[in-house]
């Protein structure tokens, strides 16, 4: 990524970084992006990625990618690989790849340190009992009967927990802080639980696993993270984050700073729910183009540039909001409008015969790849006697403001010439199956007659040259803006049944058919499209509509 492209929107975190560098608190800043490898990344994670990597690179610092892999039951190496792939694709390079599991040994030592100082104890109650003693916002918690165990007994039990002597759930290690603390997170939080489960990296080495809170800040301290950026739900955990670091011999003092999650409407955005959509086959996979995952957006045709620009524009703050999907769509429109090669494709074909065009002949028109960017060169658009046009561009009995083709009417064929509709051919059922038209040779682009004005221009492809393609059109995955708002109803009830429609027999001009996954196009008058990975391998090309040319949703909302 070039430096001019970087996100430099002012935000409160950036201001903290500037202060810390100016005051000499830090010489350089170190951030981290800490995903749990329990699913694929989504567009919300991209906000955190852009923020962490963007800040560090703006100020000459560095960013680690750290897998927060403390729950072996939900995590896998496949997810870790997918996450690394997504971060790279977004255009970021991590300084070091780290894992919370790299620190299991150190975390265990530090837990023993707390035990030796009388600041942690083994509780032998079950999880439900412990939960029931937590108290509430208005009532203090209740102390465990095991809270007064001696240091010796705690050391003995904790080392035996680690050695594998106990069943899952028999004991936990808890910090001994304050059961009456106003902040519930300080009411003797659990540090370790027993879990006899193989970890995707450490195998069977451990049968006790640290809780998130015990792992996170300590991992930050080990890596020398200066600014540990996380989402607002961790604000109440900050006193605990700080308590841990104050009570162990921490090698550095990271500062936790919270910011608001990025949310989008008409979708859901937690890995847990996205996994549910995948597992129940409501979508074809994590990379289904309707998914808000990075993999889904990539397959849909989003570019890394558009996603970075989107989060750059949205900025970072402490107030929660739900961003309209249309804003994300505008980001990809803006990017592709500048860069996407143009081409013509007919999605709902109607045959059109140019009756005064010689039979058996054809020609190639040189058309601009991008009308505003000459450097992109030209493409050869084949033209012959039989064409396909969009069925919707013809009406037999149109309303007054219909400027496309009608019986006896004239229209310009994009990149070619003006035609007149002379005759409408029907089948036995009375449906229109063919139009016979004549073209005006004087009106060809480049000739003096090209200036002749007609009201409408339509796109077309040459029937003899066009390639048959499958086109997949996508709509919102959910039919309500916030599928989680109604607590009474399962959010799956709000899945939009029409979120995918497939057109089996569209026709695309050859320049479009030649592309492959990662190539994007503007189908003139229709929208932006990209080849799906299902495309190619000799079969019919398959193209996904990334986004239409205009925001039809904005109109719908206004009613
Ligand atoms: P999910 O529920 O989707 O799994 P998470 O927060 O549990 O979200 P993690 O893998 O733990 O997912 O997140 C890695 C980092 O990404 C964390 O620092 C987290 O705060 C951040 N993050 C996750 N979701 C968002 C979001 N919607 N907006 C901004 N940052 C996010
Ligand atoms: Mg999580």
């Amino acid at each position: 990524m070039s430096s001019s492209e970087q996100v430099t929107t002012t935000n409160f975190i950036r201001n903290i970084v500037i202060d810390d560098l100016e005051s000499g608190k830090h010489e350089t800043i170190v951030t981290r992006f800490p995903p749990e490898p329990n699913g694929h990344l989504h567009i919300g994670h991209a906000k955190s990625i852009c923020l962490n990597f963007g800040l560090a690179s703006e100020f000459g610092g560095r960013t680690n990618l750290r897998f927060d892999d403390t729950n072996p039951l939900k995590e896998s190496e496949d997810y870790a690989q997918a996450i690394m792939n997504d971060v790279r694709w977004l255009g970021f390079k991590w300084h070091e790849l780290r894992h919370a599991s790299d620190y299991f040994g150190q975390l265990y030592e530090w837990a023993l340190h707390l035990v030796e100082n009388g600041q942690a104890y083994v509780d032998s109650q079950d999880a439900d009992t412990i939960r029931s003693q937590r108290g509430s916002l208005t009532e203090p918690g209740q102390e465990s009967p095991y809270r007064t165990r001696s240091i010796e007994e705690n050391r003995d039990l904790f080392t035996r927990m680690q050695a594998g002597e106990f069943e899952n759930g028999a004991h936990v290690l808890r910090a001994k802080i304050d059961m009456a603390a106003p902040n519930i997170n300080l009411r003797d939080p659990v540090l370790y639980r027993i879990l006899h489960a193989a970890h995707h990296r450490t195998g069977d080495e451990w049968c006790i696993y640290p809780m998130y809170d015990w792992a996170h800040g300590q991992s930050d301290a080990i890596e020398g993270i200066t600014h540990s950026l996380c989402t607002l739900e961790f604000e109440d955990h900050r006193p605990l984050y700080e308590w841990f670091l104050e009570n162990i011999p921490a090698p550095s003092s990271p500062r936790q700073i919270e910011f608001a999650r990025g949310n989008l409407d008409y979708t859901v955005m937690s890995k847990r729910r996205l996994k549910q959509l995948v597992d129940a086959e409501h979508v074809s996979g994590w990379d289904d183009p309707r998914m808000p995952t990075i993999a889904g957006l990539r397959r849909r045709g989003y570019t890394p540039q558009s996603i970075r620009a989107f989060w750059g524009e949205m900025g970072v703050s402490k107030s929660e909001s739900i961003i309209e999907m249309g804003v994300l769509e505008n980001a990809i429109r803006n990017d592709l409008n500048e860069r996407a090669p143009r081409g013509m494709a007919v999605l709902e074909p109607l045959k059109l015969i140019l009756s005064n065009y010689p039979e058996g002949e054809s020609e190639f028109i040189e058309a601009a790849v991008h009308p505003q960017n000459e450097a992109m060169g030209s493409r050869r658009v084949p033209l012959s006697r039989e064409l396909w046009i969009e069925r919707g561009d013809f009406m037999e009995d149109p309303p007054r403001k219909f400027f496309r083709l009608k019986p006896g009417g004239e229209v310009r064929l994009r990149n070619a010439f003006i035609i007149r509709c002379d005759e409408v051919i029907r089948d036995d059922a009375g449906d229109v199956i063919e139009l016979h038209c004549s073209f005006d040779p004087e009106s060809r682009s480049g000739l003096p007659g090209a200036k002749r004005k007609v009201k409408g221009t339509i796109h077309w492809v040459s029937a003899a040259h066009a390639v048959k393609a499958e086109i997949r059109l996508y709509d919102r995955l959910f039919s309500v803006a916030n599928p989680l708002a109604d607590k009474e109803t399962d959010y799956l009830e709000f899945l939009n049944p029409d979120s995918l429609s497939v057109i089996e027999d569209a026709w695309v001009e050859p320049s479009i058919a030649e592309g492959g996954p990662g190539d994007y196009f503007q189908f003139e008058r229709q929208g932006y499209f990209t080849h799906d990975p299902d495309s190619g391998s000799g079969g019919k090309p398959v193209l996904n509509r990334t986004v239409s040319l205009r925001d039809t949703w904005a109109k719908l909302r206004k009613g």
Side-chain angles (χ1 to χ4, degrees):
M1 180 176 31
S2 74
S3 56
S4 63
E5 217 191 292
Q6 263 165 21
V7 173
T8 52
T9 330
T10 302
N11 68 60
F12 73 100
I13 301 179
R14 187 168 175 271
N15 292 338
I16 292 173
V17 166
I18 291 171
D19 284 349
D20 288 349
L21 290 171
E22 279 176 0
S23 72
K25 182 177 178 197
H26 297 296
E27 266 174 32
T28 178
I29 68 157
V30 187
T31 59
R32 86 285 171 266
F33 172 64
E36 183 179 1
N38 62 348
H40 288 240
L41 299 181
H42 50 65
I43 180 80
H45 290 111
K47 177 175 183 178
S48 172
I49 294 172
C50 292
L51 177 64
N52 279 293
F53 283 90
L55 269 180
S57 96
E58 185 187 350
F59 294 101
R62 50 185 197 270
T63 305
N64 286 348
L65 173 62
R66 182 201 315 144
F67 285 110
D68 185 12
D69 53 351
T70 53
N71 183 358
L73 298 180
K74 295 204 168 145
E75 299 159 3
S76 78
E77 183 56 30
D78 285 351
Y79 287 142
Q81 290 297 334
I83 288 173
M84 287 190 277
N85 188 36
D86 288 347
V87 174
R88 274 190 222 105
W89 179 78
L90 280 171
F92 298 104
K93 270 203 192 111
W94 52 88
H95 173 65
E96 285 182 313
L97 177 65
R98 298 291 190 102
H99 300 81
S101 58
D102 298 338
Y103 314 135
F104 283 172
Q106 178 67 79
L107 292 169
Y108 176 67
E109 293 301 320
W110 281 335
L112 274 174
H113 175 90
L114 292 181
V115 168
E116 296 299 340
N117 287 341
Q119 291 174 305
Y121 62 97
V122 172
D123 194 341
S124 308
Q125 304 180 102
D126 60 42
D128 285 341
T129 309
I130 293 176
R131 198 173 307 120
S132 71
Q133 294 167 345
R134 283 194 95 197
S136 66
L137 288 174
T138 50
E139 283 166 64
Q142 214 179 306
E143 295 190 354
S144 162
Y146 298 100
R147 197 171 196 266
T148 50
R149 270 176 167 153
S150 68
I151 291 176
E152 290 67 37
E153 192 182 0
N154 284 321
R155 183 197 305 126
D156 174 61
L157 285 171
F158 184 49
T159 50
R160 286 165 58 199
M161 277 169 66
Q162 194 273 120
E165 286 189 28
F166 306 114
E167 298 286 292
N168 289 355
H171 309 282
V172 292
L173 184 74
R174 298 177 71 178
K176 192 171 181 172
I177 307 180
D178 180 3
M179 288 305 290
N183 182 329
I184 294 179
N185 292 304
L186 294 176
R187 294 182 187 169
D188 293 8
V190 172
L191 271 56
Y192 275 99
R193 57 185 174 145
I194 301 172
L195 192 61
H196 292 271
H199 185 281
H200 70 101
R201 295 191 73 246
T202 58
D204 292 324
E205 199 183 333
W206 295 89
C207 64
I208 56 170
Y209 289 94
M211 304 304 287
Y212 170 89
D213 283 316
W214 175 243
H216 204 87
Q218 283 57 261
S219 303
D220 286 341
I222 292 169
E223 293 174 23
I225 302 302
T226 54
H227 301 82
S228 177
L229 314 180
C230 64
T231 36
L232 282 180
E233 69 272 21
F234 291 101
E235 195 161 16
D236 288 345
H237 295 236
R238 187 171 0 114
L240 180 58
Y241 182 99
E242 289 168 356
W243 189 92
F244 284 144
L245 292 174
E246 280 160 18
N247 289 285
I248 59 161
S252 76
S253 316
R255 171 173 174 192
Q256 175 180 309
I257 305 168
E258 309 84 19
F259 64 96
R261 256 174 199 270
N263 299 303
L264 277 179
D265 64 6
Y266 292 95
T267 191
V268 291
M269 253 212 270
S270 84
K271 284 188 235 120
R272 183 172 62 83
R273 292 211 172 79
L274 296 174
K275 183 169 187 315
Q276 206 178 349
L277 294 175
V278 173
D279 290 345
E281 298 184 12
H282 295 296
V283 293
S284 65
W286 285 97
D287 68 346
D288 186 299
R290 291 165 294 179
M291 290 279 270
T293 51
I294 304 300
L297 291 167
R298 175 167 59 232
R299 186 166 176 182
R300 174 84 169 251
Y302 275 76
T303 59
Q305 291 87 338
S306 67
I307 295 173
R308 295 199 302 258
F310 170 70
W311 284 125
E313 270 165 45
M314 289 302 102
V316 178
S317 79
K318 276 204 180 266
S319 56
E320 292 280 358
S321 66
I322 299 181
I323 302 166
E324 284 176 12
M325 188 67 88
V327 180
L328 179 63
E329 291 177 341
N330 269 332
I332 187 64
R333 272 191 201 104
N334 290 342
D335 188 30
L336 292 182
N337 180 37
E338 285 186 16
R339 301 195 291 140
R342 272 47 175 173
M344 293 192 285
V346 172
L347 304 192
E348 231 190 298
L350 173 62
K351 182 64 78 63
L352 186 152
I353 312 283
L354 294 173
S355 32
N356 57 341
Y357 196 97
E359 258 174 271
E361 279 186 27
S362 64
E363 66 188 286
F364 286 93
I365 298 174
E366 290 290 323
V369 170
H370 190 302
Q372 281 87 45
N373 185 351
E374 258 181 56
M376 288 176 74
S378 63
R379 66 188 207 268
R380 285 157 56 85
V381 181
L383 170 67
S384 59
R385 184 181 157 88
E386 290 195 13
L387 310 178
W388 295 112
I389 65 160
E390 211 67 64
R391 191 163 274 276
D393 280 338
F394 171 78
M395 270 184 97
E396 269 220 280
D397 196 10
R400 265 187 51 220
K401 295 236 157 154
F402 184 83
F403 296 128
R404 288 162 281 166
L405 202 53
K406 59 186 176 193
E410 280 189 323
V411 79
R412 176 171 285 278
L413 292 185
R414 175 104 182 117
N415 299 309
F417 37 57
I418 294 169
I419 59 167
R420 171 187 303 280
C421 178
D422 304 318
E423 200 183 348
V424 178
I425 313 293
R426 294 160 202 290
D427 63 9
D428 294 340
D431 292 326
V432 175
I433 50 166
E434 211 170 271
L435 303 177
H436 289 188
C437 300
S438 47
F439 75 98
D440 169 10
E442 300 301 317
S443 68
R444 274 175 179 272
S445 309
L447 296 182
K451 290 206 193 76
R452 185 156 81 80
K453 288 269 181 286
V454 287
K455 282 242 163 92
T457 298
I458 64 173
H459 60 273
W460 54 276
V461 292
S462 162
H465 303 86
V467 178
K468 195 176 243 189
E470 175 179 324
I471 308 281
R472 298 178 184 163
L473 305 175
Y474 303 99
D475 200 344
R476 304 284 192 265
L477 186 51
F478 288 90
S479 42
V480 297
N482 184 356
L484 302 174
D486 175 0
K487 301 275 181 280
E488 309 283 286
T489 316
D490 182 3
Y491 75 101
L492 294 173
E493 307 254 323
F494 300 115
L495 276 166
N496 175 4
D498 303 317
S499 58
L500 168 64
S501 38
V502 178
I503 297 173
E504 299 280 354
D505 41 16
W507 294 98
V508 302
E509 76 169 69
S511 69
I512 294 170
E514 281 159 17
D519 291 334
Y520 34 76
F521 297 92
Q522 185 196 88
F523 290 6
E524 292 184 275
R525 300 180 64 226
Q526 318 228 53
Y528 297 99
F529 293 74
T530 192
H531 280 268
D532 190 84
D534 288 347
S535 213
S537 62
K540 193 158 74 164
V542 179
L543 290 119
N544 294 323
R545 183 171 68 193
T546 310
V547 67
S548 58
L549 280 188
R550 265 173 290 285
D551 182 0
T552 48
W553 275 77
K555 242 185 278 163
L556 285 180
R557 271 193 305 270
K558 284 185 196 114

